[in-house]
Amino acid sequence: ESGMATMQYHATFAEQRLGMMLADAPDPDPSGGGMVEVVAFTELDGQLGPAELGGQVKVGDQVTRVNGRSTRGLDYAAVLDMVIAAQRPITIHFERRGTKAEAAATEREVHREWVRPE
């Protein structure tokens, strides 16, 4: 969207469970590469995850790289597999456009173990 500011940043995590839920972005990149975004934070036994506790990651932020590997064109299942399989510490690069993420309310879900659909 023309005129919207874009912010790029990265966060490094040592933990296996990061406490964020990913999904395909509702408005895929018009150049043909899909994007994956943070749609909620998760909690386990009432405990917030490191993604939310760190304060940088916001709902609506798009995941652009995992440990230096681009996520362009991958769906959320492929990106989630990358995140789960990556050695720790893991560095995830994010992109935030405009004020979308800042305006979104913090959403939380109960943590569920990822099982790849067959």
Side-chain angles (χ1 to χ4, degrees):
E1 296 176 29
S2 179
M4 291 187 83
T6 299
M7 180 179 105
Q8 297 178 347
Y9 69 95
H10 67 274
T12 301
F13 304 98
E15 300 84 355
Q16 186 64 36
R17 187 186 75 81
L18 304 181
M20 62 183 177
M21 182 181 293
L22 304 177
D24 293 318
D27 49 348
D29 185 333
S31 66
M35 293 300 294
V36 172
E37 69 180 7
V38 178
V39 294
F41 293 108
T42 62
E43 59 182 42
L44 181 63
D45 298 329
Q47 300 295 312
L48 303 181
E52 184 175 5
L53 289 172
Q56 275 187 292
V57 181
K58 304 292 183 198
V59 170
D61 290 356
Q62 294 182 338
V63 176
T64 59
R65 288 188 315 234
V66 174
N67 281 347
R69 186 170 160 215
S70 174
T71 60
R72 181 174 286 289
L74 300 178
D75 67 6
Y76 87 94
V79 173
L80 191 53
D81 283 342
M82 285 173 64
V83 169
I84 291 169
Q87 271 192 313
R88 299 311 196 248
I90 181 174
T91 299
I92 302 176
H93 292 258
F94 297 91
E95 183 173 284
R96 182 177 305 151
R97 293 191 175 148
T99 57
K100 176 181 174 185
E102 294 167 11
T106 299
E107 297 182 33
R108 254 184 232 113
E109 301 279 336
V110 175
H111 175 76
R112 291 174 284 172
E113 290 298 320
W114 168 242
V115 177
R116 188 176 241 302
E118 301 205 18

